[in-house]
Amino acid sequence: MITETAQRLKEAGETEPRAGRDPVNLPMIRTWLEAMGDANPAYERDRLAPPAMIQVWTMRGLGTVTPDDPLQVMSTVLEDAGYTAVVATDSEQNYHRYLRLGEEITVRSRLESVTGPKRTALGEGWFVTTVSTWFAGGEAVADMRFRILRYRPEPRGERPDVAPLRPVVTPDTAFFWAGVEAGELRIQRCGECRTLRHPPGPACPACGATKPEYAVASGTGRVHSFVVHHHPPIPGRRAPFVVALVDLTEGVRMIAEFRGPRPAIGDPVRVFFDDGLPVWRPDQPVLPTWELTATPTLIISTALATRDFQNVHHDRDAAVRLGGRDIFLNILSTTGLVQRYVTDWAGPEAVVHSIAIRLGTPCHAYDTLTFTGQVVEAGVVEVVGRTAAGVHVTGTVRVSS
Amino acid sequence: MIGRMSAIAGIGATEFSKDSGRSELRLATEAVRAALDDAGLRPGDVSGLVTFTMDSNAEIAVARELGMGELSFLSRIGYGGGAACAVVQQAVLAVTAGLADVVVCYRALNERSGRRFGQAFASPDVDSGWHHPMGLATPGAMVAMVAQRYLHDYGASTDDFGRVTVAARRHAATNPYAWFHGRPITLDEHRASRWITEPLRLLDCCQESDGAVALVVTSLARARDLARPPAVIAAAAQGSGPDQYVMTSYYRDDVAALPEMGVVARQLWGQSGYGPEDVRTAVLYDHFTPYVLMQLEELGFCGRGEARHLIAGGGIELGGRLPVNPHGGQLGEAYIHGMNGIAEAVRQVRGTAVNQVPGDGPVLVTAGTGVPTSGLILAAA
């Protein structure tokens, strides 16, 4: 039934245009900006809609049924098959231009793929991927690839959680890990002959002294070699990921994970610290860290401002019944917060061309959500939003000023 | 000097599989008994036992199972597969020093059905604390870091790695004891195999195997009187390089090198009086293909960075300039931590190998690379 329906929908191709319920309008924009806490004055001044609102204009209201919508049809079939819970996992939005007040928007969607059943961290489930294109008049103004996971919730505790591999801290290495906690990259330096050394040890191989001290490294260096790890699984990491051996500017080598586009040998990198470990990044500007508390007010007001009436975003009992800890942010709001984080940094004149995000751990009520970001090449910002439970969102935003 | 004082007089092995269905102690017992039978010796003749620190079978347990009597020499060598030829060196030292008359070296492991070395695991080791938490937590990934730099430094390609596997699988295809008997591959199959850790593909990684191998070492004089023609141990060496780590020697100037194998090579040539040009066939430790290229260079079979030219056009295949791993190696036959390679070298010396390399020159064997390692040169009496 699942694969047959998927096949039928795929063959049906793109749906007829479906009109948004309201034209692009200032009240909805204001509500959205307020809920996101986005003070960017450019939208109201220029009578434009924030680009990350694109999906909002054609969201169904509470209880509206659109029988030909492929995502809704697949969701119903999967729900009937016992896959009762849903999370959005990926959203890649491209904005050809910003929408203007008063424009009437339509959307056409098609089913791209349905894959499953797959074992996921949440339980057995199916991934449903759709592609949507928005039009103003006859003009395509934005498109989106959107993926959800429909799954059977599993009671917590059934799966053995594999703990990430943690550093080995000894009296000889404690200074390094204390440095990581303090946001410093420390290199062992001999208290007698001043020779630098990594990895550290109790004695100086150069002069024999047992008087280890440390220097604080500049945190810059160049890639000496790197690997892209695919297999087997590494506890606490999602493959593929890159690990790089870096020649630090000070002259010693060090291993750490590398985050950013695939590097090349010789590329300049800069250290930052994440989850108690040093991590390499391309040596490019870094966005200031942004920390916000996901209050129930934030989660509910943004869900409603994005016209998402799924109960898990405003009804705690429903969220818990479906296996969650509490209500949690919806993907449209995460997209909006990612946009806000980047435009707060880039300034009101910046133009956002695309936002592609992947969701990980849900951001529940009362979680602290911490955004970090970095320019990885001109006009491309990579964003990570993390809660205490793990990475909530990773994303790439293309922006020009 | 220890060269030509002792010999390998017997070899024994279990079958090589993915699930032996029996304990490692039973595998060890079977292999040791087979090696003694091969030599024409009885358990009561054994006076020394040597194995890897990683081996789970106590020497005294093996001795009990086989009903051995008194033992006068017990020893173990560390650093994983780097121990393979070094355990033989231990036996040579014991025999030449007069501490033991007959020493058996053994290695038994359920490496596929039991603990798989290729998986990530939390190690309490301080050195691994600089690598495992950063995501570099498997042997494949650790070798890939060296391999990437090797490609960069010498302009080699991943096809050059693939040619090592193609040769190994060609040899295994005609070896009935090999897991990959009858299953050769093409370079295209290597190119199509999935990434493990770039730049290494699945077909750059050796097998995971269950099995055991044992070797009987005694004095050359005694070996001459035993059942089989002796494989004379013309040289036996161990080596560790400057700033040596286990699989992660990334902190010395040249990452794409194996100076520890250079230490071994110099001793092998020095003890035996042979040079690379004398070697008939080489059994090179092949847990990962890039290290086969780098060993060819460290051992002096070609210049630094030139191994890709040596292996091009079937140079390391049967009939090539230097046939490497005629049994199929650990890529093709089985992964018994290098010990099955020593057994193959003995067969080549005896002239009883399934893929016999013609000639009467010596046979070189190496042990695990990327770690403190070891090597042997075996020759006919």
Side-chain angles (χ1 to χ4, degrees):
Chain A
M1 183 63 186
I2 294 168
T3 45
E4 288 82 355
T5 306
Q7 194 55 37
R8 178 173 62 76
L9 288 168
K10 271 201 282 190
E11 281 165 8
E14 202 162 44
T15 57
E16 290 302 307
R18 178 168 61 80
R21 301 178 71 212
D22 300 292
V24 176
N25 65 84
L26 195 54
M28 277 175 65
I29 293 172
R30 280 189 176 143
T31 302
W32 190 92
L33 289 169
E34 272 175 24
M36 296 293 163
D38 189 338
N40 188 338
Y43 305 115
E44 217 171 310
R45 185 192 68 203
D46 299 337
R47 303 177 62 76
L48 297 173
M53 272 188 85
I54 186 65
Q55 214 175 342
V56 176
W57 303 114
T58 51
M59 288 291 278
R60 289 165 219 94
L62 183 58
T64 311
V65 177
T66 45
D68 69 330
D69 180 72
L71 184 55
Q72 195 159 14
V73 174
M74 272 322 301
S75 283
T76 306
V77 169
L78 286 165
E79 191 167 9
D80 291 348
Y83 300 97
T84 52
V86 61
V87 287
T89 61
D90 298 84
S91 160
E92 302 163 23
Q93 299 183 342
N94 297 299
Y95 317 114
H96 309 324
R97 66 165 173 83
Y98 284 14
L99 301 184
R100 295 183 280 267
L101 287 189
E103 285 190 303
E104 300 274 0
I105 304 303
T106 60
V107 65
R108 302 182 68 172
S109 300
R110 65 183 170 84
L111 182 69
E112 184 175 80
S113 66
V114 176
T115 56
K118 297 207 172 198
R119 296 287 317 158
T120 76
L122 294 166
E124 185 188 281
W126 293 72
F127 288 95
V128 180
T129 308
T130 56
V131 175
S132 300
T133 309
W134 284 272
F135 296 88
E139 179 194 4
V141 289
D143 60 64
M144 173 179 73
R145 175 171 284 103
F146 194 69
R147 187 169 297 123
I148 63 152
L149 170 65
R150 270 264 167 203
Y151 64 98
R152 292 183 213 272
E154 271 180 17
R156 295 210 164 265
E158 272 190 11
R159 299 178 307 275
D161 273 341
V162 186
L165 307 171
R166 300 310 306 176
V168 179
V169 182
T170 74
D172 301 325
T173 69
F175 77 93
F176 181 90
W177 299 109
V180 171
E181 289 307 313
E184 289 180 356
L185 191 65
R186 295 176 181 173
I187 307 172
Q188 185 174 55
R189 181 177 60 201
C190 176
E192 291 291 341
C193 74
R194 320 288 287 172
T195 301
L196 295 174
R197 178 197 190 191
H198 185 85
C204 175
C207 77
T210 48
K211 201 177 153 191
E213 298 174 353
Y214 67 83
V216 177
S218 62
T220 59
R222 287 182 184 274
V223 174
H224 188 83
S225 190
F226 69 96
V227 303
V228 185
H229 188 88
H230 297 264
H231 193 80
I234 303 297
R237 282 195 166 69
R238 183 157 60 182
F241 61 89
V242 176
V243 182
L245 173 65
V246 165
D247 288 312
L248 290 180
T249 306
E250 289 77 10
V252 300
R253 288 201 194 114
M254 198 178 286
I255 288 277
E257 187 178 346
F258 172 93
R259 298 208 194 125
R262 184 191 178 93
I265 287 174
D267 279 359
V269 298
R270 180 178 291 277
V271 77
F272 76 106
F273 301 97
D274 185 30
D275 198 26
L277 295 170
V279 179
W280 312 121
R281 285 285 222 168
D283 190 10
Q284 298 273 359
V286 175
L287 277 62
T289 299
W290 176 37
E291 218 171 69
L292 80 162
T293 304
T295 60
T297 302
L298 178 86
I299 290 169
I300 295 167
S301 66
T302 54
L304 300 185
T306 56
R307 289 199 161 171
D308 183 341
F309 298 96
Q310 296 267 355
N311 55 13
V312 289
H313 305 307
H314 61 255
D315 178 345
R316 186 174 193 276
D317 292 342
V320 169
R321 196 168 59 241
L322 286 167
R325 177 157 56 76
D326 206 322
I327 57 170
F328 57 91
L329 270 181
N330 70 334
I331 190 166
L332 280 71
S333 300
T334 299
T335 309
L337 293 171
V338 167
Q339 179 197 272
R340 178 189 157 189
Y341 178 51
V342 172
T343 54
D344 278 359
W345 164 79
E349 306 314 319
V351 177
V352 176
H353 300 287
S354 69
I355 300 176
I357 63 168
R358 165 166 285 193
L359 294 190
T361 316
C363 177
H364 290 109
Y366 305 106
D367 281 350
T368 298
L369 181 57
T370 305
F371 282 101
T372 53
Q374 184 180 28
V375 179
V376 291
E377 57 185 270
V380 182
V381 181
E382 288 199 353
V383 174
V384 179
R386 197 181 259 286
T387 68
V391 174
H392 166 58
V393 58
T394 55
T396 304
V397 180
R398 292 181 185 274
V399 64
S400 64
S401 39
Chain B
M1 285 295 284
I2 57 171
R4 293 188 175 79
M5 304 286 285
S6 48
I8 298 178
I11 57 175
T14 63
E15 83 289 359
F16 305 136
S17 74
K18 301 300 177 188
D19 185 0
S20 72
R22 47 208 200 277
S23 71
E24 292 184 336
L25 180 56
R26 176 152 168 194
L27 296 179
T29 304
E30 290 177 15
V32 172
R33 186 180 294 283
L36 290 169
D37 287 348
D38 185 56
L41 291 166
R42 288 162 301 148
D45 296 322
V46 177
S47 49
L49 286 170
V50 187
T51 187
F52 296 41
T53 55
M54 278 182 81
D55 200 278
S56 67
N57 306 293
E59 299 91 319
I60 53 174
V62 173
R64 280 198 308 268
E65 294 313 306
L66 285 153
M68 291 176 183
E70 295 174 348
L71 299 175
S72 57
F73 185 78
L74 308 164
S75 182
R76 288 188 174 229
I77 296 288
Y79 306 114
C85 296
V87 295
V88 174
Q89 190 199 42
Q90 289 290 295
V92 168
L93 293 172
V95 166
T96 54
L99 301 174
D101 183 25
V102 173
V103 179
V104 179
C105 309
Y106 63 91
R107 178 77 176 107
L109 66 175
N110 282 326
E111 196 275 333
R112 181 60 183 83
S113 65
R115 201 201 117 198
R116 302 171 64 183
F117 301 167
Q119 304 294 307
F121 65 97
S123 167
D125 172 63
V126 179
D127 288 349
S128 68
W130 300 109
H131 309 101
H132 289 198
M134 284 69 165
L136 199 77
T138 59
M142 293 170 186
V143 173
M145 191 67 80
V146 173
Q148 185 86 275
R149 187 70 202 189
Y150 181 86
L151 295 176
H152 174 269
D153 286 354
Y154 299 113
S157 76
T158 53
D159 278 357
D160 297 317
F161 299 160
R163 289 186 182 96
V164 174
T165 307
V166 170
R169 293 288 292 270
R170 177 189 155 192
H171 300 166
T174 52
N175 172 5
Y177 304 100
W179 178 258
F180 286 118
H181 178 234
R183 285 183 281 173
I185 62 156
T186 63
L187 193 56
D188 279 338
E189 286 172 84
H190 172 268
R191 289 176 183 144
S193 71
R194 66 177 166 142
W195 291 120
I196 296 299
T197 305
E198 292 179 54
L200 298 188
R201 299 180 179 281
L202 177 65
L203 289 177
D204 290 306
C205 307
C206 71
Q207 302 178 60
E208 301 174 281
S209 305
D210 287 9
V213 170
L215 311 162
V216 178
V217 176
T218 188
S219 66
L220 179 56
R222 180 155 190 196
R224 287 182 195 278
D225 297 333
L226 294 176
R228 297 286 198 161
V232 179
I233 301 168
Q238 209 178 359
S240 176
D243 214 5
Q244 179 78 49
Y245 284 77
V246 173
M247 304 297 286
T248 55
S249 296
Y250 303 146
Y251 308 98
R252 47 198 186 195
D253 288 347
D254 196 353
V255 171
L258 293 168
E260 53 278 9
M261 191 58 81
V263 175
V264 169
R266 290 194 300 276
Q267 296 177 80
L268 292 180
W269 307 135
Q271 286 178 26
S272 68
Y274 294 121
E277 65 285 354
D278 298 316
V279 172
R280 180 182 6 149
T281 176
V283 179
L284 302 184
Y285 197 93
D286 57 343
H287 49 163
F288 297 98
T289 55
Y291 278 154
V292 172
L293 276 73
M294 292 167 63
Q295 285 182 81
L296 289 167
E297 297 166 9
E298 293 287 351
L299 292 162
F301 291 109
C302 59
R304 182 60 58 85
E306 292 174 359
R308 63 196 167 103
H309 304 304
L310 172 56
I311 68 170
I316 57 169
E317 297 183 25
L318 291 167
R321 186 183 132 197
L322 178 72
V324 169
N325 297 343
H327 60 316
Q330 303 188 96
L331 292 159
E333 188 185 66
Y335 175 80
I336 313 295
H337 239 165
M339 291 288 273
N340 50 321
I342 302 173
E344 168 66 9
V346 172
R347 288 188 296 265
Q348 289 289 343
V349 169
R350 290 177 178 174
T352 59
V354 291
N355 294 319
Q356 184 64 40
V357 176
D360 56 6
V363 178
L364 181 143
V365 197
T366 61
T369 40
V371 295
T373 187
S374 51
L376 299 172
I377 292 180
L378 304 182

